[in-house]
Amino acid sequence: MCGIVGAVAGRDVVPILIEGLKRLEYRGYDSAGVAVIRGGLHRIRSTGRVVELERLAQAGNVSGELGIAHTRWATHGAPSEKNAHPHVSDGVSVVHNGIIENHEQMRDHLRSLGYQFVSDTDTEVIAHLVHLHLVRCGDLFEAVRLSLRELVGAYAIAVINAADPARLVVARMGAPLLLGLGTGENFAASDASALVQVTQRVVYLDEGDCAELTRERVRIIDADGQPVVRKEQITELTAAAVELGPYRHYMQKEIFEQPMAVANTLELVTRARAVVPQLFGTDADKIFNKINGLTILACGTSYHAGMVARYWIEAVAGLPCNVEIASEYRYRETVNNPDTLVVTISQSGETADTLAALQYAKLRGHRHSLAICNVPESALVRASDLRFLTRAGPEIGVASTKAFTTQLAALVLLTMALAKQRGRLTAERETELLHALRHLPAALTHVLEVEPAIAEWAAVFARKEHILFLGRGIHYPIAMEGALKLKEISYIHAEAYAAGELKHGPLALVDRNMPVVAVAPKDALLEKLKSNLQEVRARGGELYVLADQDARIAPSEGVHVIQMPDHADLLSPILHTVPLQLLAYHTALHRGTDVDKPRNLAKSVTVE
């Protein structure tokens, strides 16, 4: 969601801040702003794109050697210049990610002390509170620490003071924040991608950390007020990895990066003759021997990956598997089973609902946890006993693509490791599946060749307002993912159903104006699915079918068929995902929407 960049240097930091915001645009935002100190505090804000903010900075000749910047995704208060960050209180300026839950009480308290509020945001409370403590103690770092004791909620903040032009103070609780280390300059950001143009040396702050940055040093204090040293790391992220290159959109780039992303994710088993529990951590063997079931917690696309995994885990590993929407799980009374493995799935590892769901599971007595994640330093990975990193690389487009297919690849490995541990995976079947995994990147490359045919479908779909997606068994979640992608970026209403449920309601919607997309692999449910498709045709519905070559579904009047180039057995859901991603992408192109930054959505949902 919101993005933070901060810098203290011996040079003008405005270009650094602006470039950092540009690299955070993928997170989703509705306004942006910059505050710098140079002979006083200078602030510019805009409800336009970051490029508009850059134009305003250049026109106003805004510069400074200390500054903070922000992209805001509205929570408290509508998108407007007055609600855009940074917020100011008599020389103190603050940017903030997260939500302050007790902001109304704090607002009343601060008003009683004479502070005036000009925005509708919860963040303005922080600016006034820091100013209040600064007046009392005279030190910005201490003022921030005292303020944080009074705040309830989630936050990552960066604070500067016009009277202290060489110091930046930052803190985090429940929202990501990292430091970037330079030579004679230091930085802070909510995402490493914002800093790759200036440094690859990063320090990830822990929950409750508060840090002070000057040009020459960084000082960190933990939640208990004790000085600490956090490990410096070299991020693998590079500037080239987050550049668009020859592609029209990041989503298109990331769809076509899937063969390589999956190959990177599977690298540890590419030459292996066996799958071992240690793929998931040094204690995995011991933990896998103790568990008697799995609970998967995730949101959005990651939830769909979990739904696919349930079919694999129960059928192959013989373990009961429950899949929960994280935002629902955390608010209901669950039946405690301490021998359940809690698996969390997240691209960013900072999704607020998934983190809270994991914490709730631990409070309920669940002893074992595994994170499947794309970001090694994320809060979710650090909070879990075991972890598997998907190695998808940076995913900039809001609509997830390569993160999903790499999550599925990781979940196949988890299924195999669990099945082998339980004596349910023969050596022959293990060899067979490992061969299929090695072939998977090439199979994905072949599937991308259906793009021209998909683009023809998209030209038709772009004129529609309602589309139905059908799948059966393990491909029902893939239909759900296809519908989600289409609605996310084309704004067409799309729904997915298990095809066997047609007669229980959705069939009433079917007519010649509603395209019906069906995922039709050659599996045990194919003949059942064919019967469901006949039900659609009998009502005049127009069918668009993704079929395996040997599924024996031929094109005819009202039936449009794209033949998939590969049949992948257990891995079929991964291959059938790609055409649905392409369908959403090309439909959005025809409709002229902002593919990478769809309205009302954000990439990393770090608030509830």
Side-chain angles (χ1 to χ4, degrees):
M1 313 193 106
C2 308
I4 287 175
V5 189
V8 54
R11 53 174 167 154
D12 181 17
V13 298
V14 172
I16 297 170
L17 299 176
I18 294 291
E19 180 61 26
L21 292 187
K22 287 180 179 179
R23 294 177 185 274
L24 294 178
E25 284 190 292
Y26 73 92
R27 297 167 72 94
Y29 68 103
D30 46 51
S31 60
V34 169
V36 294
I37 294 173
R38 185 164 193 167
L41 182 69
H42 302 275
R43 176 179 61 163
I44 52 173
R45 297 180 292 177
S46 170
T47 55
R49 290 298 184 190
V50 172
V51 67
E52 172 64 13
L53 188 72
E54 182 178 34
R55 187 191 67 76
L56 291 172
Q58 291 170 347
N61 197 28
V62 176
S63 63
E65 296 180 352
L66 171 67
I68 53 178
H70 192 263
T71 50
R72 175 180 185 252
W73 193 80
T75 54
H76 296 76
S80 65
E81 185 174 328
K82 74 170 185 177
N83 289 330
H85 298 212
H87 289 285
V88 170
S89 180
D90 192 21
V92 171
S93 187
V94 175
V95 292
H96 163 229
N97 291 352
I99 290 178
I100 303 303
E101 295 175 5
N102 63 336
H103 71 98
E104 291 181 349
Q105 301 94 302
M106 296 304 303
R107 184 181 289 253
D108 291 341
H109 171 62
L110 290 163
R111 275 182 172 147
S112 72
L113 297 175
Y115 285 93
Q116 295 183 351
F117 286 78
V118 297
S119 79
D120 305 314
T121 69
D122 55 336
T123 302
E124 194 176 0
V125 163
I126 305 174
H128 291 317
L129 190 59
V130 171
H131 179 267
L132 174 66
H133 286 293
L134 182 61
V135 170
R136 292 174 176 175
C137 74
D139 180 79
L140 183 63
F141 187 58
E142 185 64 17
V144 170
R145 291 187 60 239
L146 292 171
S147 299
L148 297 179
R149 294 177 184 177
E150 300 183 50
L151 300 177
V152 176
Y155 55 78
I157 62 171
V159 188
I160 57 175
N161 176 26
D164 193 354
R167 186 158 51 154
L168 168 67
V169 177
V170 301
R172 67 153 295 190
M173 177 66 76
L177 197 67
L178 58 93
L179 311 181
L181 307 180
T183 302
E185 55 189 19
N186 288 302
F187 313 92
S190 50
D191 189 315
S193 63
L195 301 180
V196 290
Q197 79 275 17
V198 288
T199 186
Q200 288 186 286
R201 298 168 56 208
V202 297
V203 172
Y204 288 85
L205 297 181
D206 280 3
E207 288 286 90
D209 281 356
C210 186
E212 176 186 69
L213 290 77
T214 65
R215 287 179 55 188
E216 301 301 333
R217 73 179 187 123
V218 168
R219 176 165 67 111
I220 305 173
I221 291 179
D222 66 16
D224 296 323
Q226 299 302 310
V228 291
V229 176
R230 301 296 182 205
K231 180 182 177 182
E232 178 184 329
Q233 302 181 42
I234 303 300
T235 179
E236 295 181 3
L237 196 62
T238 64
V242 293
E243 290 173 356
L244 187 57
Y247 295 95
R248 188 169 175 182
H249 296 94
Y250 280 106
M251 182 177 180
Q252 181 188 30
K253 176 179 184 246
E254 287 151 13
I255 289 172
F256 278 83
E257 284 177 340
Q258 286 178 116
M260 181 58 70
V262 168
N264 289 340
T265 298
L266 296 173
E267 184 178 28
L268 289 176
V269 298
T270 299
R271 295 181 178 86
R273 296 183 179 181
V275 171
V276 295
Q278 285 72 23
L279 288 170
F280 301 89
T282 55
D283 293 330
D285 188 43
K286 179 172 60 177
I287 290 174
F288 287 177
N289 273 324
K290 293 178 180 178
I291 64 171
N292 57 20
L294 290 86
T295 293
I296 297 177
L297 306 174
C299 300
T301 287
S302 296
Y303 171 70
H304 295 157
M307 290 185 68
V308 173
R310 176 171 59 190
Y311 287 90
W312 285 332
I313 290 165
E314 293 192 343
V316 179
L319 282 165
C321 181
N322 187 34
V323 186
E324 299 265 5
I325 298 171
S327 59
E328 292 293 318
Y329 174 84
R330 61 184 287 201
Y331 290 117
R332 72 177 184 86
E333 292 291 326
T334 59
V335 177
N336 178 38
N337 177 2
D339 292 323
T340 293
L341 177 65
V342 176
V343 180
T344 54
I345 308 173
S346 171
Q347 189 281 136
S348 68
E350 303 289 350
T351 305
D353 284 318
T354 307
L355 282 165
L358 175 59
Q359 292 165 3
Y360 177 68
K362 290 182 176 181
L363 288 174
R364 298 288 293 176
H366 293 285
R367 297 180 296 196
H368 312 300
S369 58
L370 161 67
I372 293 176
C373 183
N374 192 40
V375 181
E377 307 89 354
S378 63
L380 195 66
V381 169
R382 294 199 302 269
S384 302
D385 304 320
L386 306 176
R387 71 285 312 269
F388 187 95
L389 300 176
T390 52
R391 299 187 65 192
E395 188 177 66
I396 307 301
V398 167
S400 181
T401 52
K402 61 178 179 174
F404 180 66
T405 46
T406 53
Q407 286 169 357
L408 291 179
L411 289 162
V412 171
L413 294 179
L414 177 61
T415 299
M416 293 173 66
L418 292 170
K420 187 174 180 180
Q421 194 90 348
R422 295 169 58 81
R424 291 177 59 95
L425 187 68
T426 66
E428 293 77 13
R429 182 58 170 157
E430 183 178 18
T431 299
E432 183 181 288
L433 288 174
L434 284 170
H435 174 76
L437 287 170
R438 294 186 191 104
H439 177 67
L440 184 58
L444 286 166
T445 300
H446 293 154
V447 171
L448 288 165
E449 295 171 2
V450 306
E451 185 180 26
I454 288 289
E456 292 181 13
W457 285 10
V460 176
F461 282 32
R463 301 191 297 269
K464 306 296 183 180
E465 294 301 327
H466 307 280
I467 297 174
L468 192 63
F469 286 73
L470 301 178
R472 292 206 71 146
I474 197 169
H475 292 85
Y476 167 47
I478 300 304
M480 295 175 69
E481 177 63 10
L484 176 62
K485 285 292 153 286
L486 190 70
K487 68 181 78 171
E488 279 181 315
I489 63 169
S490 74
Y491 315 147
I492 294 172
H493 171 242
E495 294 296 333
Y497 278 89
E501 287 291 291
L502 268 176
K503 293 187 289 293
H504 298 281
L507 204 54
L509 297 171
V510 172
D511 61 23
R512 62 186 180 86
N513 294 315
M514 177 182 271
V516 177
V517 179
V519 181
K522 188 179 185 302
D523 60 15
L525 291 172
L526 178 61
E527 295 307 317
K528 299 287 186 185
L529 177 65
K530 287 181 179 179
S531 297
N532 302 139
L533 301 186
Q534 289 301 319
E535 292 168 352
V536 172
R537 283 301 298 135
R539 275 81 179 171
E542 197 90 354
L543 282 168
Y544 293 81
V545 185
L546 295 170
D548 283 350
Q549 286 184 337
D550 48 359
R552 297 182 181 178
I553 300 176
S556 61
E557 183 179 355
V559 180
H560 311 272
V561 181
I562 290 178
Q563 300 283 354
M564 297 288 286
D566 281 278
H567 171 62
D569 188 25
L570 193 74
L571 307 183
S572 175
I574 302 175
L575 297 189
H576 277 87
T577 294
V578 176
L580 298 179
Q581 296 170 345
L582 290 168
L583 179 61
Y585 174 71
H586 283 283
T587 302
L589 284 186
H590 281 288
R591 288 173 71 96
T593 62
D594 192 340
V595 172
D596 288 331
K597 307 180 192 73
R599 66 190 184 199
N600 304 331
L601 299 178
K603 181 66 178 176
S604 181
V605 185
T606 55
V607 296
E608 185 177 350

